[in-house]
Amino acid sequence: MIQPKSPLFWVYCLVTTFGLAALVVQIAPVAALTWRDILAGLPFTLATFAVFGGLLCQLDRLRARAPIRGPLVMGFLWGALAGPGIAMYANDHNMRVIQNLAGDAFAGDWQAPISAAIVEEAVKGIGVFAVAWLAKPLLNRPMHGLLLGGCTGLGFQVVEDVTYEANAGLLSAQDDSSNAVLVGILRLLTGITSHWLLTALAGIGIVLATTRSDWSRKRRAQVFAVFYLLGAALHFGWDAPSPASIPVGSIFARTLLYVLIFAVVYGWVVQTERHWFRAVVAWAVARGIAPAGELSTLISHRSRRRARAAERLDGPRNRRDQRRRQRVLLDWVQEAGARSGIRYPP
């Protein structure tokens, strides 16, 4: 993914460096006062990274991440280094504009959701676009967009958690870390609907619109609009004020709704991934470079378990060897598929 001859690669490096510098400048005065609170909240931030990073890996049932680890790391770095610093600066200015235009009463409720849905999704989306453009030969399926968007959003999410924990320390009247710990716990518990999910949805549209040159411009624009606006709308909806009478119930209802929406989209993504996988297996078998039988058992977790059970190999070591072989075969299909030129949806 290091492309010294590409101007876009150097723009990526420059913006990432600038974003990190902007973050340090804005957070350093607070962190100097609340560094103990940041350290107290850090275990929960690391848990957020582990839980939702692991969840992204679990969602990638056919290991589409195998050939695109470089782009995924670049997406995460953009989200973590470029995103928060730029977004903090832009949000501050946006909210002042909204306050000046609409008044204090309106701004008190709506300036944060309006600005965040515009600024933060745009900053993350630009990063997804830049990485997708640099990795065009590798990224062309919905699962690629979901993974790249998810990693970019996760990078943003974990650094944002640190900034929230730092600011929480300023509110502690007893000069302890209880507020930062509480913020870390709440951010972990509500992280299921946070940036990783929002940008995973938007990333599907960005990647397909950027890399699917075989589609018409109209189709690419439609796919981009549907998924990007879905992510932005969900961001706005989450930050929008809850009814005063049912604040906890509103959060619970929104969480269920967001998980349901994501599950529906994810079901479609998995379906397209399985169609692509079967097409690659058929392509490899037709050319005599792979046997059909074992590859066809890799299509789902259930079929893999059945294949392992059918071999009837006892002992934990043998079972580990079976799983390792299946992972190797999955990675081989992903690499072969990248070379085959097969794309899905068609």
Short mmCIF file of all heavy atoms in Angstrom, two decimals, residues 17-43:
data_model
loop_
_atom_site.label_atom_id
_atom_site.label_comp_id
_atom_site.label_asym_id
_atom_site.label_seq_id
_atom_site.Cartn_x
_atom_site.Cartn_y
_atom_site.Cartn_z
N THR A 17 -0.93 13.31 9.23
CA THR A 17 0.00 14.02 10.11
C THR A 17 -0.62 15.31 10.64
O THR A 17 -0.51 15.63 11.84
CB THR A 17 1.31 14.33 9.36
OG1 THR A 17 1.86 13.11 8.85
CG2 THR A 17 2.31 15.01 10.27
N PHE A 18 -1.28 16.05 9.75
CA PHE A 18 -1.92 17.29 10.17
C PHE A 18 -3.02 17.02 11.19
O PHE A 18 -3.16 17.75 12.18
CB PHE A 18 -2.52 17.99 8.94
CG PHE A 18 -3.41 19.16 9.29
CD1 PHE A 18 -2.86 20.40 9.61
CD2 PHE A 18 -4.79 19.02 9.29
CE1 PHE A 18 -3.68 21.47 9.94
CE2 PHE A 18 -5.62 20.09 9.62
CZ PHE A 18 -5.06 21.32 9.94
N GLY A 19 -3.81 15.98 10.96
CA GLY A 19 -4.88 15.64 11.89
C GLY A 19 -4.34 15.28 13.26
O GLY A 19 -4.90 15.68 14.29
N LEU A 20 -3.24 14.51 13.30
CA LEU A 20 -2.63 14.14 14.57
C LEU A 20 -2.13 15.39 15.29
O LEU A 20 -2.32 15.53 16.51
CB LEU A 20 -1.49 13.17 14.33
CG LEU A 20 -0.68 12.76 15.57
CD1 LEU A 20 -1.58 12.09 16.61
CD2 LEU A 20 0.46 11.84 15.18
N ALA A 21 -1.49 16.29 14.55
CA ALA A 21 -0.99 17.53 15.16
C ALA A 21 -2.15 18.36 15.72
O ALA A 21 -2.06 18.91 16.83
CB ALA A 21 -0.20 18.33 14.14
N ALA A 22 -3.24 18.45 14.96
CA ALA A 22 -4.40 19.21 15.43
C ALA A 22 -5.00 18.58 16.68
O ALA A 22 -5.42 19.29 17.60
CB ALA A 22 -5.45 19.27 14.32
N LEU A 23 -5.02 17.25 16.73
CA LEU A 23 -5.55 16.57 17.92
C LEU A 23 -4.68 16.86 19.14
O LEU A 23 -5.20 17.17 20.22
CB LEU A 23 -5.60 15.06 17.66
CG LEU A 23 -6.05 14.19 18.84
CD1 LEU A 23 -7.49 14.49 19.20
CD2 LEU A 23 -5.87 12.71 18.50
N VAL A 24 -3.36 16.78 18.96
CA VAL A 24 -2.45 17.02 20.08
C VAL A 24 -2.60 18.46 20.59
O VAL A 24 -2.66 18.70 21.81
CB VAL A 24 -0.99 16.75 19.66
CG1 VAL A 24 -0.01 17.22 20.73
CG2 VAL A 24 -0.80 15.27 19.38
N VAL A 25 -2.68 19.41 19.67
CA VAL A 25 -2.81 20.82 20.07
C VAL A 25 -4.09 21.04 20.86
O VAL A 25 -4.09 21.77 21.88
CB VAL A 25 -2.77 21.73 18.83
CG1 VAL A 25 -3.21 23.15 19.17
CG2 VAL A 25 -1.38 21.74 18.22
N GLN A 26 -5.19 20.40 20.44
CA GLN A 26 -6.47 20.63 21.09
C GLN A 26 -6.63 19.86 22.40
O GLN A 26 -7.28 20.34 23.33
CB GLN A 26 -7.60 20.26 20.13
CG GLN A 26 -7.68 21.18 18.92
CD GLN A 26 -8.74 20.73 17.92
OE1 GLN A 26 -9.89 21.12 17.99
NE2 GLN A 26 -8.32 19.88 16.99
N ILE A 27 -6.05 18.67 22.48
CA ILE A 27 -6.27 17.83 23.66
C ILE A 27 -5.15 17.97 24.69
O ILE A 27 -5.36 17.65 25.88
CB ILE A 27 -6.43 16.35 23.24
CG1 ILE A 27 -7.12 15.55 24.34
CG2 ILE A 27 -5.09 15.75 22.88
CD1 ILE A 27 -8.54 15.94 24.60
N ALA A 28 -3.98 18.45 24.30
CA ALA A 28 -2.84 18.50 25.22
C ALA A 28 -3.11 19.32 26.48
O ALA A 28 -2.77 18.88 27.59
CB ALA A 28 -1.60 19.03 24.49
N PRO A 29 -3.72 20.52 26.39
CA PRO A 29 -3.97 21.28 27.63
C PRO A 29 -4.88 20.54 28.61
O PRO A 29 -4.66 20.60 29.83
CB PRO A 29 -4.63 22.57 27.12
CG PRO A 29 -4.19 22.69 25.70
CD PRO A 29 -4.12 21.29 25.20
N VAL A 30 -5.88 19.83 28.09
CA VAL A 30 -6.77 19.06 28.95
C VAL A 30 -6.05 17.83 29.48
O VAL A 30 -6.14 17.51 30.68
CB VAL A 30 -8.04 18.64 28.18
CG1 VAL A 30 -8.93 17.76 29.04
CG2 VAL A 30 -8.80 19.87 27.71
N ALA A 31 -5.32 17.14 28.62
CA ALA A 31 -4.64 15.91 29.04
C ALA A 31 -3.59 16.19 30.11
O ALA A 31 -3.34 15.35 30.97
CB ALA A 31 -3.99 15.24 27.83
N ALA A 32 -2.97 17.38 30.07
CA ALA A 32 -1.99 17.71 31.08
C ALA A 32 -2.61 17.77 32.47
O ALA A 32 -1.93 17.51 33.48
CB ALA A 32 -1.35 19.07 30.76
N LEU A 33 -3.90 18.10 32.54
CA LEU A 33 -4.61 18.18 33.82
C LEU A 33 -5.27 16.86 34.20
O LEU A 33 -5.46 16.59 35.40
CB LEU A 33 -5.67 19.28 33.76
CG LEU A 33 -5.16 20.70 33.50
CD1 LEU A 33 -6.35 21.65 33.33
CD2 LEU A 33 -4.27 21.18 34.64
N THR A 34 -5.63 16.06 33.20
CA THR A 34 -6.45 14.87 33.48
C THR A 34 -5.79 13.58 33.02
O THR A 34 -6.48 12.61 32.73
CB THR A 34 -7.83 15.02 32.80
OG1 THR A 34 -7.64 15.07 31.37
CG2 THR A 34 -8.56 16.25 33.26
N TRP A 35 -4.47 13.55 32.99
CA TRP A 35 -3.80 12.35 32.46
C TRP A 35 -4.08 11.13 33.32
O TRP A 35 -4.14 10.01 32.82
CB TRP A 35 -2.30 12.59 32.32
CG TRP A 35 -1.59 12.90 33.60
CD1 TRP A 35 -1.38 14.13 34.14
CD2 TRP A 35 -0.98 11.96 34.49
NE1 TRP A 35 -0.69 14.04 35.32
CE2 TRP A 35 -0.42 12.70 35.57
CE3 TRP A 35 -0.84 10.57 34.50
CZ2 TRP A 35 0.24 12.11 36.62
CZ3 TRP A 35 -0.17 9.96 35.55
CH2 TRP A 35 0.36 10.72 36.60
N ARG A 36 -4.29 11.33 34.63
CA ARG A 36 -4.63 10.19 35.48
C ARG A 36 -6.00 9.63 35.10
O ARG A 36 -6.21 8.40 35.15
CB ARG A 36 -4.62 10.61 36.94
CG ARG A 36 -3.25 10.96 37.50
CD ARG A 36 -3.32 11.28 38.98
NE ARG A 36 -2.01 11.67 39.52
CZ ARG A 36 -1.53 12.92 39.49
NH1 ARG A 36 -2.27 13.88 38.93
NH2 ARG A 36 -0.34 13.18 39.98
N ASP A 37 -6.91 10.49 34.72
CA ASP A 37 -8.24 10.04 34.32
C ASP A 37 -8.17 9.27 32.99
O ASP A 37 -8.88 8.29 32.80
CB ASP A 37 -9.19 11.24 34.18
CG ASP A 37 -9.25 12.07 35.45
OD1 ASP A 37 -9.96 11.65 36.38
OD2 ASP A 37 -8.58 13.10 35.51
N ILE A 38 -7.31 9.74 32.09
CA ILE A 38 -7.12 9.03 30.82
C ILE A 38 -6.60 7.63 31.08
O ILE A 38 -7.08 6.65 30.48
CB ILE A 38 -6.17 9.82 29.91
CG1 ILE A 38 -6.79 11.15 29.50
CG2 ILE A 38 -5.82 8.99 28.67
CD1 ILE A 38 -5.86 12.05 28.71
N LEU A 39 -5.63 7.52 31.98
CA LEU A 39 -5.08 6.20 32.31
C LEU A 39 -6.14 5.31 32.96
O LEU A 39 -6.19 4.10 32.70
CB LEU A 39 -3.88 6.34 33.24
CG LEU A 39 -2.62 6.97 32.63
CD1 LEU A 39 -1.52 7.09 33.68
CD2 LEU A 39 -2.13 6.14 31.44
N ALA A 40 -7.00 5.90 33.80
CA ALA A 40 -8.06 5.12 34.44
C ALA A 40 -9.07 4.60 33.43
O ALA A 40 -9.61 3.49 33.58
CB ALA A 40 -8.76 5.96 35.50
N GLY A 41 -9.34 5.41 32.41
CA GLY A 41 -10.30 4.98 31.40
C GLY A 41 -9.71 4.15 30.29
O GLY A 41 -10.44 3.53 29.50
N LEU A 42 -8.37 4.09 30.22
CA LEU A 42 -7.70 3.39 29.13
C LEU A 42 -8.07 1.91 29.02
O LEU A 42 -8.25 1.41 27.89
CB LEU A 42 -6.18 3.54 29.26
CG LEU A 42 -5.34 3.03 28.10
CD1 LEU A 42 -5.71 3.75 26.81
CD2 LEU A 42 -3.85 3.21 28.41
N PRO A 43 -8.20 1.16 30.12
CA PRO A 43 -8.61 -0.25 29.96
C PRO A 43 -9.93 -0.43 29.22
O PRO A 43 -10.08 -1.38 28.45
CB PRO A 43 -8.71 -0.74 31.41
CG PRO A 43 -7.79 0.14 32.18
CD PRO A 43 -7.90 1.48 31.53
#
